[in-house]
Amino acid sequence: MKKLLVLSLVLGIASLATAGLSFSAPAQAVEGEAYQVVISGVAGDVANAGLYASDYGAAGVPTLVEILPAAGNLGSANIVPAYGGFDFVIDDLLGSGTQTGDMIVANYIAGPAGTSLTLDLWDYANGSAVTGGVAVIEFVQGIPEPATMALLGLG
């Protein structure tokens, strides 16, 4: 009986790993416009993690507008404005298991043109950044569409 208890404890702790989590972000975003960062995972993922800006320099702390749950079960999310990111828990709330795909969609506003931002995905279970969980986003100036340029007499 003790062996069964120890085995279930070990398997339970191992299931908290965020090995399947990853995130995607655009390589560039237009100054002042919205862009999305998507955290994805595989079925059965359970996570206690965070996504934070680690290097934003002249861009300033990024503006996080909202966090939306997608596939999977978002147990909780806590926006931390001082670090331009959020903590989140993905959990099997309904007992049916988390689903493969996009688990969280975060909407940000791009910083000033000519600046950049680095985002890191953190796994609190082992206190380190998730492999492949880093993205650098360059902020660029928007180019007006031809109709706008014609109205302004620029084209």
Side-chain angles (χ1 to χ4, degrees):
M1 189 64 158
K2 283 184 182 180
K3 289 181 183 180
L4 183 58
L5 179 61
V6 170
L7 180 61
S8 63
L9 180 62
V10 168
L11 291 175
I13 291 171
S15 71
L16 293 176
T18 59
L21 284 186
S22 63
F23 82 101
S24 62
Q28 291 185 335
V30 176
E31 173 183 27
E33 292 189 7
Y35 64 94
Q36 290 187 329
V37 175
V38 179
I39 298 175
S40 303
V42 297
D45 270 348
V46 177
N48 179 7
L51 183 74
Y52 286 98
S54 63
D55 181 20
Y56 43 83
V61 178
T63 304
L64 175 60
V65 179
E66 64 185 342
I67 302 169
L68 305 170
N73 298 310
L74 181 59
S76 66
N78 179 36
I79 295 175
V80 184
Y83 297 107
F86 56 96
D87 293 321
F88 62 92
V89 173
I90 294 174
D91 204 348
D92 182 11
L93 298 176
L94 304 175
S96 59
T98 56
Q99 304 299 308
T100 297
D102 299 343
M103 295 189 169
I104 300 172
V105 176
N107 292 314
Y108 282 87
I109 300 295
T115 62
S116 65
L117 165 69
T118 302
L119 292 172
D120 297 304
L121 182 60
W122 288 89
D123 176 1
Y124 297 150
N126 65 22
S128 65
V130 174
T131 303
V134 176
V136 177
I137 304 166
E138 300 287 333
F139 300 131
V140 297
Q141 187 170 5
I143 299 171
E145 62 181 2
T148 304
M149 291 178 66
L151 286 173
L152 295 172
L154 301 174

